[in-house]
C-alpha cells in the first residue's frame, strides 16, 4: 500500500503507477513488499490463484509468478520473479483471470486463451490433464448460421469451472460441477456452452467462488414483467406468506424455490443436482480465486485511454469489471473534444443531473459488429489523463495478497455514457465482423431518435424525482460496476446541512425505464450451497441460476465471490454478505448466514469489495475523505512463539491512505459545489417569483423606475412594520430593501441608498431608542423604528445579509461547504466600494472609489470631481489625509496643476511637490493648502523668457524670511531676507559680472547704507537709493589703497558724480609702512559680512522642520523619547512608501534602515567607544533621507549648493560660506546632543582609558604625546570633529571652488615658482634650499632597484614623502588633511633615519628645508586653497599641538615658495 502514497505524487512528476506490492494474508501488521523482476513495467491488472498469480502490464503482456506445476521445466515450477508468457506475445491482452490452478486471458478482439490445470475441463481442452501454454478456446454460437465466434468481455474462474461474459451480455460456461448452470449430466464440459436460463437478460457482471457462481443482472422493464402467480410453478408453494406474531402480522414475498429455476415450456423438466457431499480433502480448503477479488478496486479507480487514438470507444484492461462498464454504446459525443468539454463541465453541473440528462440510454440489442466497434477494448492511449489518482487492486489467495497502482478514474463518466450505447463512431473497429444488416442500422437510427426525444423529458425529470431524505443522502451516484464520482460520506455531510437531497432513482414508468440508465438490478446465484453462499435461505445446491429475492430493490452494483461466501455492494455504499463465516469474513456475527445480511464496516461508506478464501476486503472512506482498506477474516498473531489464529468479528482497518490525489479531492469538491448550486438556484427562483409578485402588487411610476432585471426584492415595510424616527404625523415613509439598494419612498419621491455604502447597527434601549436601527450612509444618517423586537431583528438580519451579499460583488457565488451559502450576519465595517456624492458641497457630483469606514472614506481611494479634479491617495474620516496625488485641470492653458505629497484633514500639509500649469514647480512644505515653511520654487526653464529659482522660507504662500533668489535672466543672485514676496531687510547680491553688494533692501531695491565691490577690488561704502544707484555720503576705495570721501550720485557703471576729497595714504605714511601687494584685501575681509544676514538666521525653517519632525515646538524643547519614537515612525512610514513606489531601495540602503531602527543605549560613564558609536550612527542616519537628520543634511546640502554655485561662485562669498558651515555644525550639534544627552558639550574632554593613554613619542620633542596639548589627557569633543566628516564631503565642491577663486592670484605666483624650481635636479634643489648634506639620501629605490643618487637624479629623493603629501588633495576634512601632513613628516623622518643609520631628534632649522623640498616636489596646484581651508575649519584645540605645528610648517613653506628667488 506504499504505492498509494506514491500515486498521489503523480501530479508532481513522480509518475509511479502500476507498482505491485505483496504481503501475507491474515497478518495484522501489513508490511507490503515490492514484487521484484518487473524492471519498471507498469502493471494494469493482477489476478491470483492458490499458489500463483498473473500480471497484465501496459502493452498487453502477461507475466506469471508463483508455483506453476503445469510448466515442463522443474526450474520453472516455482518462480519467485514474474516470467513472460511468450505464447501470448502479439495478442494484445486486455484482461486476465486466475482460478485455483488455471488461468485465462482475453484479447482485445474478444478471443479467450486458457492454460493450467485441466483435470476438470476448466481450460476447455478435452483429454488433457494440464495445458502448459496458453491455448485458444473456440466459443461459437450454434444458433447462428453460419457459426459466428462469440466475443468475450470478461472471464471468471473458480476451482473447477470457468465463466465468460460475452459482448451480447450472455454467459458461457465450461468445466465441471453444478456451478456451471448448464442442463447437462456429462462432465467435464470442454466445449463452452451458453447458460440458457439467463439468455435474453442483460448480465452486467459475473463472479466465481470455489464451487458457486454469481451474476448481476439488469431487471426487466416494467412492461415486460409478467403478473406474479400466487404459487410457485415449480414447487407449488405459496409465493406470499403471512405469519401471525404476538402483536403484528408479517407478510413476506421472499419465497425461494428449493428446486431451482423452473425450466421453460419447450425444455425437458429434468432436474440434475450436484452431489451435496463434501469435496475431497485436498479441495475443501481451497477455492477458485475469482478475478473480482482484486478487480473491484482496480476498476473503481483506473483511468483507461481517455485520449486513445485507437478505434475503441472505451479502452479497458479489466475483463470482469468491463461487464459493468464496457458494452456496445452510442455516445452523446462525436469526438474526444466533446468528451473533454463535458468532463470540464463537471464542476458546474451535478453528476446526478448528468446521470438523468446526459447519459446514453439502453438500446435494443445491437448487432455484433456494432458491439465490437464500441466495446472491444483497445490499447491505452499514449498520453494519460490530467487526472491521476490511487487505485488499489486487492487480489488474494491462501498466503499472499497483491496490490497494484493504476491510473486514476476520470473516465467513469464516459463509461456511463458508453454503458448502454448502440453503435460505434469509429469505422476502423468493424474489421473482422460481419457488416450490419438493414435491421441493425434501422434500430440504430430509431434509437438515436428516441434518445433525442428523451432530452426534454430528462431535463424536466428533476421535478418528478421522488425525494428520499433518508436514503438519498447515502445513495451512489453511479451505475453498476462504475466509479462513484461522489463520496458517500460527502453526501451525508450535505444532508446534515439540511439541504434537500435529490435521489437518483427515478420513478419507473414506461419509456423512461427503457431509456434511462437504472440501478434496478438483480442477483442470481447457482452451484453448491452447503455454506449458504447462494443466499436462498437454505444450504441446497442449485443447478440453474436462481434470483436472490432478498436483494431485490437493494440496487446492487457489484458482486464478489469468495471461497464459500459472497458479497454484494449497493448504490448506497452498503455491503450485504452471506455464506460461510467461520473466520468472520462476512463482517458481522460469527455464525454463517444463508441469506444476505448487512455488514458492519467502520468506514464512512464502502466504495468496493473483494473476497478471498476466508476473508473479505472493503475499500471505504475515512473521516478525512481518504480511502482506507478494511479487512475481515482470519487473523494470525505470534505470541509466546506460538501461532494463534483468531477471527475478526468486525472489519478492521488494514491500511489507510495518508494522501489523497488532487483528482479525488476535485471529484468531492465538484459534488459539494453541485449540491450548493442546486440549493442556490432554488433560492434564486423563489427570489425572482417574490420580486415579480411585488412588481405586480405595487404598480406605478416609482416602482417602474426601480425595476431592473437583476434587482431582487428582499423585504418591504408596507405592513407598517418599519417607520422613520421623528417623522411627521401625516408623512408617509415606505422602505423597500432590494439586493442592491435600500429605497426610502415618500409620497411621489424616493431616494436610493446603495447597499455597498450602507451601514446598519441596532441601537441600545438604554438611550430610549426601543427597536431602533441606525442607518448610516456617506451623506445621511437616520434611525428606523420597528413595531416589535421580532421585526427589528428581522430587518437587521435582512439588511446585514443584503449588504454583505452586495459587497461580495456577485450574488451567484457558491461557498464550498457553507451549507447553502449562508451569508455572514454582520458585514464588515471597513470595506471597498464606489459612491457618487450628491449632497456634500465639497464633494458634490464627485465619484469616490476606495476604502470606507463607517460611512466615511478611510484608507486608499480615488476621488474624481465632475470638473476634472482628481485625488488619489489615502483618506481619514472622510478627508484627504496622508500621502496622495492631486490633479487640477487648467482649461485656459489646456494643462493641469499636479501635486504629489502629504495631506492633513483635507488640505495639503507637509512636504510635497506642486507642478503648476504655468510651468512653475514648487518643492517644499505646505500648510492649509498654502506654501508654508522651507521650499524651492522653479519658475520657467533656462530657455524660457524669465527663468528664475527661489529657495528659502515661505509663510502663508509668500516668501518671508531668509531665502536665495537666482534671477537667471539678469544674472543676479540675491541672498537675504524677504517679506510678502519682496526683498526686505539685509541681503547680499552678486552678479555674473563680479559685482558684489551687501546692505539693506526695501521693496526689492537696495536702499540705505551698503557696500559695493567690483571685480577689480574697487569698494564703495555709503548710501544707495536704487539698484546700483549711489546717492549720498560715501567712501570710494581704489585697488591701490587710494580713497575718495564725499557725496556720490549716479548709477554704477554709467558715470558717477562725486563731490569730495581724494586721499593718497602712501604719500603721507612712512616708507616702511607702505602697503605691500593687494592693499585692500584685509580691509575687504574686515568690512564684508557686517551688513549681511547672520549665519544663524539662515535656513531657520529647515532646522525648525527637523525639530518639528522630532516632536519639538522649538529647538531643544521636547521629550527625547518621543523624538526617538518619531524617528522610528518616520523610518517605517518612508520605507512603506518606498515599497509602494517604483523606486526600489538598494540592499545596502535597506540594511542601513534596519540598523537605524535600533536606538543607541548609553549606560554608565561616557567613553570614547560610546562616542564612536554615536559617530557611526550619525554617518548612517545622514546617508538616508528617510531619517530626519538625513533629510536635514540633504536639504542643507541642496541650499548650500544653490547659494554658492553658478553666479554664487563669487570669491567675495567665501567668508559667508565658511561662516554658514560653522553655523550648520553648531545647530546640528545641538540636535545631536538633544538625541544623545550623554554626549559632552562643545570643548569637553573624554578621558582615555588605560589602554588608550599609551601615546606614541612626539615627533619633535620625543616626549609622550596624547594627541593634544590640553591640560587633561583625553579626546576633545567638538562639532568639527563629530560632524565635519559627515557634512563637509557633501559641501566640498562649491566650498573649494570659492577657496580657489579667492586664492587665485596667490596660487598663480606660487605655481610659477614651483614650476621654475622643479626644473632643478634633486641635488641642486637640496643644495639651493639649504638642506644639510648629511640628510641627503645616498641611494634611492627606483622601480625596485637601488641606485646611487647622482647629480642628474631628479624626482627620486624623498619620493615616499612626496607621494604621501600629494594625498592631501584627495581628502575632505581638515582632520584628514592634517593626518596626511603628519604622515609626510614621518616618511621624511624614516628616509633620513635610513640614511643616518642612527636615532636623532629634528630641529626646526633642519626640518624646514627638507619639508620645503617635499612640498616643491609634490607640485600641489591649489596648495593655497588647501592651507586656507585647513586654517578656517580645523579644530581649535589642534592649533597648538603637534599637528598644529606641522600645519604651520606647511603654511610657512607655501608663503616661502611665493617669495623664493632662484639664485
Amino acid at each position: 500500500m506504499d504505492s498509494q502514497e506514491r500515486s498521489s505524487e503523480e501530479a508532481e512528476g513522480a509518475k509511479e503507477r502500476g507498482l505491485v506490492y505483496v504481503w501475507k494474508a491474515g497478518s495484522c501488521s501489513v508490511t507490503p513488499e515490492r514484487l521484484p523482476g518487473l524492471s519498471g513495467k507498469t502493471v494494469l491488472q493482477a489476478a491470483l490463484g492458490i499458489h500463483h498469480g498473473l500480471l497484465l502490464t501496459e502493452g498487453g503482456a502477461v507475466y506469471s509468478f508463483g508455483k506453476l506445476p503445469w510448466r515442463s521445466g522443474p526450474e520453472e515450477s516455482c518462480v519467485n520473479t514474474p516470467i513472460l508468457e511468450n505464447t501470448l506475445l502479439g495478442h494484445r491482452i486486455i484482461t486476465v483471470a486466475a482460478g485455483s490452478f488455471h488461468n485465462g486471458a482475453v484479447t482485445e478482439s474478444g478471443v479467450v486463451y486458457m492454460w493450467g490445470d485441466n483435470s476438470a475441463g476448466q481450460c476447455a481442452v478435452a483429454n488433457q490433464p494440464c495445458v502448459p501454454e496458453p491455448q485458444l478456446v473456440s466459443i461459437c454460437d450454434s444458433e447462428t448460421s453460419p457459426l459466428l465466434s462469440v466475443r468475450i468481455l470478461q472471464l471468471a474462474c473458480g476451482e473447477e469451472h470457468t465463466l465468460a461474459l460475452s459482448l451480447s451480455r450472455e454467459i458461457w460456461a465450461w468445466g465441471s460441477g453444478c456451478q456451471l448452470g448448464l442442463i447437462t449430466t456429462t462432465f467435464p464440459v470442454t466445449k463452452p456452452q451458453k447458460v440458457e436460463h439467463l439468455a435474453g437478460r442483460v448480465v452486467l457482471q459475473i463472479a466465481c467462488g470455489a464451487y458457486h457462481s454469481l451474476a448481476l443482472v439488469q431487471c426487466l422493464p416494467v412492461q415486460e414483467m409478467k403478473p406474479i402467480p400466487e404459487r410457485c410453478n415449480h414447487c407449488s408453494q405459496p409465493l406470499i406468506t403471512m405469519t401471525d406474531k404476538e402483536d403484528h402480522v408479517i407478510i413476506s414475498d421472499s419465497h425461494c424455490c428449493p428446486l431451482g429455476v423452473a425450466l421453460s415450456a419447450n425444455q425437458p423438466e429434468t432436474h440434475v443436482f450436484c452431489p451435496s457431499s463434501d469435496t475431497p480433502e485436498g479441495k475443501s480448503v481451497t477455492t477458485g480465486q475469482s478475478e473480482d477479488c482484486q478487480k473491484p478496486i482496480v476498476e473503481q479507480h483506473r483511468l483507461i485511454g481517455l485520449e486513445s487514438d485507437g478505434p475503441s470507444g472505451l479502452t479497458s484492461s479489466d475483463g470482469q469489471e468491463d461487464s459493468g462498464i464496457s458494452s456496445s454504446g452510442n455516445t452523446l459525443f462525436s469526438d474526444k473534444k466533446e468528451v473533454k468539454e463535458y468532463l470540464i463541465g463537471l464542476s458546474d453541473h451535478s453528476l446526478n443531473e448528468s446521470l438523468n440528462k446526459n447519459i446514453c440510454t439502453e438500446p435494443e440489442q445491437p448487432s455484433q459488429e456494432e458491439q465490437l466497434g464500441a466495446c472491444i477494448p483497445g490499447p491505452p492511449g499514449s498520453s494519460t489523463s490530467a487526472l491521476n489518482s490511487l487505485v488499489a487492486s486487492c487480489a488474494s489467495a491462501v498466503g499472499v495478497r497483491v496490490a497494484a497502482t493504476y491510473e486514476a478514474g476520470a473516465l467513469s463518466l464516459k463509461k456511463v455514457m458508453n454503458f448502454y450505447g448502440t453503435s460505434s463512431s469509429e469505422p476502423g473497429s468493424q474489421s473482422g465482423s460481419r457488416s450490419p444488416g438493414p435491421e441493425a442500422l434501422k434500430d440504430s437510427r430509431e434509437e438515436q431518435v428516441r434518445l433525442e426525444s428523451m432530452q426534454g423529458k430528462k431535463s424536466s425529470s428533476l421535478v418528478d424525482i421522488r425525494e428520499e431524505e433518508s436514503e438519498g443522502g447515502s445513495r451512489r451516484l453511479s451505475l453498476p460496476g462504475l466509479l462513484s464520482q461522489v463520496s458517500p460520506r460527502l453526501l451525508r455531510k450535505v444532508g446534515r446541512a439540511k439541504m434537500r437531497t435529490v435521489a437518483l432513482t427515478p420513478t419507473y414508468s414506461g419509456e423512461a425505464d427503457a431509456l434511462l440508465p437504472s440501478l434496478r438490478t438483480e442477483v442470481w446465484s447457482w452451484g453448491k450451497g452447503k455454506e449458504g453462499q447462494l443466499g436462498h435461505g437454505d444450504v441446497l445446491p442449485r443447478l440453474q441460476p436462481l434470483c436472490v429475492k432478498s436483494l431485490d430493490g437493494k440496487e446492487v452494483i457489484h458482486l464478489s465471490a469468495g471461497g464459500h461466501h459472497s458479497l454484494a455492494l449497493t448504490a448506497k455504499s452498503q455491503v450485504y454478505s452471506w455464506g460461510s463465516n467461520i473466520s468472520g469474513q462476512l463482517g458481522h456475527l460469527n455464525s454463517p448466514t444463508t441469506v444476505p445480511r448487512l455488514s458492519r464496516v467502520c468506514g464512512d461508506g464502502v466504495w468496493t469489495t473483494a473476497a478471498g478464501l476466508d476473508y473479505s476486503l472493503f475499500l471505504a472512506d475515512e473521516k478525512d475523505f481518504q480511502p482506507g482498506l478494511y479487512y475481515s477474516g482470519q487473523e494470525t498473531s505470534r505470541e509466546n512463539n506460538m501461532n494463534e489464529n483468531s477471527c475478526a468479528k468486525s472489519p478492521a482497518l488494514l491500511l489507510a491512505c495518508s494522501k489523497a490525489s488532487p483528482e479525488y479531492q476535485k471529484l468531492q469538491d465538484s459534488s459539494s459545489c453541485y449540491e450548493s448550486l442546486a440549493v442556490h438556484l432554488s433560492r434564486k427562483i423563489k427570489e425572482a417569483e417574490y420580486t415579480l409578485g411585488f412588481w405586480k402588487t405595487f404598480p406605478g411610476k416609482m416602482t417602474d423606475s426601480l425595476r431592473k432585471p437583476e434587482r431582487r426584492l428582499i423585504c418591504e415595510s408596507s405592513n407598517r412594520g418599519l417607520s422613520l424616527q421623528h417623522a411627521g404625523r401625516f408623512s408617509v415613509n415606505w422602505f423597500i430593501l432590494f439586493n442592491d439598494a435600500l429605497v426610502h419612498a415618500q409620497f411621489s419621491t424616493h431616494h436610493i441608498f446603495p447597499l455597498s455604502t450602507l451601514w446598519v447597527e441596532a441601537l441600545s434601549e438604554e438611550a430610549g431608542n426601543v427597536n431602533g436601527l441606525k442607518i448610516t450612509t456617506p451623506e445621511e444618517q437616520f434611525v428606523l423604528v420597528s413595531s416589535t423586537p421580532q421585526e427589528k431583528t428581522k430587518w437587521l438580519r435582512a439588511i446585514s445579509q443584503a449588504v454583505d451579499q452586495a459587497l461580495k460583488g456577485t450574488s451567484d457565488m457558491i461557498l464550498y461547504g457553507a451549507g447553502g451559502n449562508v451569508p455572514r450576519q454582520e458585514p464588515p465595517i471597513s470595506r471597498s466600494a464606489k459612491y457618487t456624492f450628491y449632497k456634500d458641497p465639497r464633494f458634490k457630483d464627485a465619484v469616490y472609489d476606495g476604502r470606507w469606514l463607517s460611512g466615511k472614506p478611510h484608507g486608499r481611494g480615488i476621488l474624481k470631481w465632475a470638473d476634472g479634479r482628481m485625488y488619489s491617495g489615502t483618506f481619514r474620516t472622510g478627508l484627504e489625509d496622508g500621502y496622495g496625488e492631486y490633479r487640477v485641470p487648467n482649461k485656459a492653458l489646456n494643462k493641469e496643476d499636479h501635486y504629489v505629497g502629504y495631506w492633513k484633514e483635507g488640505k495639503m500639509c507637509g512636504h510635497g511637490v506642486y507642478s503648476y500649469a504655468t510651468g512653475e514647480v514648487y518643492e517644499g512644505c505646505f500648510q492649509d493648502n498654502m506654501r508654508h515653511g522651507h521650499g524651492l520654487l522653479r519658475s520657467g526653464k533656462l530657455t524660457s523668457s524669465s527663468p528664475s529659482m527661489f529657495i528659502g522660507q515661505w509663510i502663508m504662500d509668500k516668501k518671508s524670511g531668509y531665502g536665495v533668489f537666482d534671477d537667471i535672466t539678469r544674472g543676479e543672485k540675491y541672498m537675504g531676507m524677504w517679506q510678502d514676496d519682496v526683498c526686505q531687510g539685509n541681503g547680499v547680491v552678486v552678479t555674473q559680472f563680479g559685482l558684489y553688494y551687501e546692505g539693506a533692501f526695501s521693496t526689492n531695491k537696495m536702499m540705505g547704507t551698503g557696500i559695493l565691490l567690483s571685480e577689480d577690488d574697487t569698494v564703495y561704502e555709503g548710501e544707495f537709493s536704487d539698484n546700483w544707484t549711489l546717492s549720498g555720503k560715501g567712501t570710494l576705495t581704489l585697488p591701490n589703497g587710494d580713497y575718495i570721501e564725499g557725496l556720490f550720485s549716479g548709477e554704477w557703471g554709467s558715470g558717477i558724480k562725486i563731490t569730495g576729497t581724494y586721499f593718497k595714504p602712501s604719500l603721507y605714511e612712512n616708507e616702511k609702512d607702505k602697503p605691500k601687494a593687494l592693499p585692500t584685501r584685509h580691509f575687504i575681509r574686515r568690512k564684508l559680512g557686517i551688513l549681511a544676514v547672520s549665519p544663524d538666521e539662515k535656513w531657520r525653517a529647515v532646522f525648525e522642520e527637523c525639530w518639528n519632525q522630532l516632536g519639538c515646538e522649538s529647538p531643544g524643547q521636547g521629550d527625547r523619547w518621543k523624538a526617538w519614537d518619531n524617528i522610528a515612525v518616520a523610518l517605517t512610514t518612508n520605507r512603506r512608501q518606498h515599497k509602494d513606489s517604483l523606486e526600489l531601495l538598494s540592499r545596502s540602503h535597506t540594511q542601513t534602515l534596519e540598523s537605524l531602527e535600533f536606538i543607541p543605549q548609553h549606560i554608565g560613564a561616557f567613553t570614547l567607544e560610546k562616542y564612536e558609536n554615536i559617530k557611526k550612527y550619525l554617518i548612517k542616519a545622514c546617508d538616508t533621507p528617510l531619517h530626519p537628520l538625513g533629510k536635514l543634511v540633504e536639504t542643507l546640502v541642496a541650499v548650500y549648493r544653490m547659494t554658492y554655485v553658478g553666479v554664487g561662485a563669487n570669491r567675495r562669498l567665501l567668508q559667508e560660506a565658511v561662516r554658514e558651515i560653522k553655523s550648520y555644525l553648531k545647530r546640528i550639534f545641538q540636535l545631536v546632543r538633544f538625541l544623545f544627552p550623554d554626549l559632552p558639550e562643545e570643548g569637553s574632554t573624554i578621558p582615555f582609558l588605560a589602554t588608550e593613554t599609551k601615546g606614541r613619542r612626539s615627533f619633535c620633542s620625543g616626549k609622550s604625546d596624547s594627541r593634544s596639548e590640553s591640560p587633561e589627557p583625553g579626546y576633545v569633543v567638538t562639532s568639527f570633529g563629530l560632524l565635519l566628516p559627515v557634512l563637509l564631503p557633501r559641501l566640498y565642491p562649491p566650498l573649494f571652488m570659492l577657496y580657489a577663486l579667492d586664492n587665485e592670484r596667490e596660487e598663480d605666483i606660487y605655481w610659477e615658482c614651483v614650476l621654475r624650481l622643479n626644473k632643478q635636479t634633486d641635488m641642486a634643489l637640496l643644495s639651493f634650499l639649504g638642506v644639510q648634506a648629511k640628510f641627503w639620501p645616498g641611494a634611492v629605490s627606483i622601480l625596485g632597484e637601488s641606485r646611487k643618487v647622482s647629480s642628474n637624479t631628479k624626482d627620486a629623493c624623498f619620493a615616499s614623502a612626496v607621494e604621501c603629501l600629494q594625498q592631501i588633495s584627495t581628502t575632505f576634512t581638515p582632520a584628514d588633511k592634517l593626518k596626511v601632513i603628519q604622515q609626510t613628516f614621518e616618511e621624511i623622518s624614516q628616509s633620513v633615519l635610513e640614511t643616518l643609520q642612527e636615532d636623532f631628534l629634528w630641529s626646526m632649522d633642519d626640518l624646514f628645508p627638507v619639508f620645503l623640498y617635499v612640498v616643491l616636489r609634490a607640485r600641489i596646484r591649489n596648495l593655497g586653497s588647501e592651507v586656507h581651508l585647513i586654517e578656517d575649519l580645523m579644530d581649535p584645540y589642534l592649533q597648538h599641538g603637534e599637528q598644529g605645528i606641522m600645519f604651520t610648517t606647511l603654511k610657512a613653506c607655501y608663503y616661502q615658495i611665493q617669495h623664493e628667488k632662484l639664485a
Side-chain angles (χ1 to χ4, degrees), residues 888-920:
V888 182
N890 189 320
K891 297 181 179 179
L893 300 176
N894 198 22
K895 294 182 179 179
E896 64 179 11
D897 290 353
H898 182 207
Y899 171 76
V900 177
Y902 289 91
W903 296 70
K904 185 177 181 180
E905 297 178 357
K907 296 180 179 180
M908 291 178 282
C909 187
H911 189 270
V913 178
Y914 201 116
S915 302
Y916 298 89
T918 57
E920 292 184 330

Side-chain angles (χ1 to χ4, degrees), residues 980-1099:
D980 293 336
D981 270 343
V982 297
C983 302
Q984 188 77 24
N986 290 348
V988 173
V989 174
V990 291
T991 70
Q992 60 183 347
F993 305 109
L995 291 178
Y996 173 92
Y997 171 81
E998 177 183 311
F1001 283 75
S1002 178
T1003 62
N1004 280 339
K1005 296 181 180 180
M1006 293 184 289
M1007 305 286 287
T1009 305
I1011 298 176
L1012 180 64
L1013 278 81
S1014 65
E1015 181 65 20
D1016 61 354
D1017 289 338
T1018 301
V1019 182
Y1020 170 77
E1021 184 180 3
E1023 297 179 354
F1024 291 81
S1025 63
D1026 202 348
N1027 284 343
W1028 318 114
T1029 301
L1030 286 62
S1031 177
K1033 293 182 179 181
T1035 301
L1036 181 66
T1037 305
L1038 301 178
N1040 59 0
D1042 298 347
Y1043 61 93
I1044 303 174
E1045 292 182 354
L1047 298 176
F1048 296 80
S1049 64
E1051 185 176 353
W1052 187 269
S1054 301
I1056 303 174
K1057 292 183 179 181
I1058 303 175
T1059 303
T1061 307
Y1062 180 86
F1063 293 92
K1064 188 75 172 177
S1066 59
L1067 298 178
Y1068 306 98
E1069 296 180 356
N1070 296 328
E1071 189 68 24
K1072 62 179 181 179
D1073 297 330
K1074 182 178 179 181
K1076 305 294 183 183
L1078 306 179
T1080 61
R1081 174 166 183 168
H1082 298 290
F1083 165 77
I1084 293 174
R1085 287 202 170 191
R1086 290 196 308 270
K1087 294 291 186 183
L1088 293 185
I1090 298 176
L1091 299 178
V1093 178
S1094 170
D1096 293 340
E1097 293 294 323
K1098 295 180 179 179
W1099 315 119

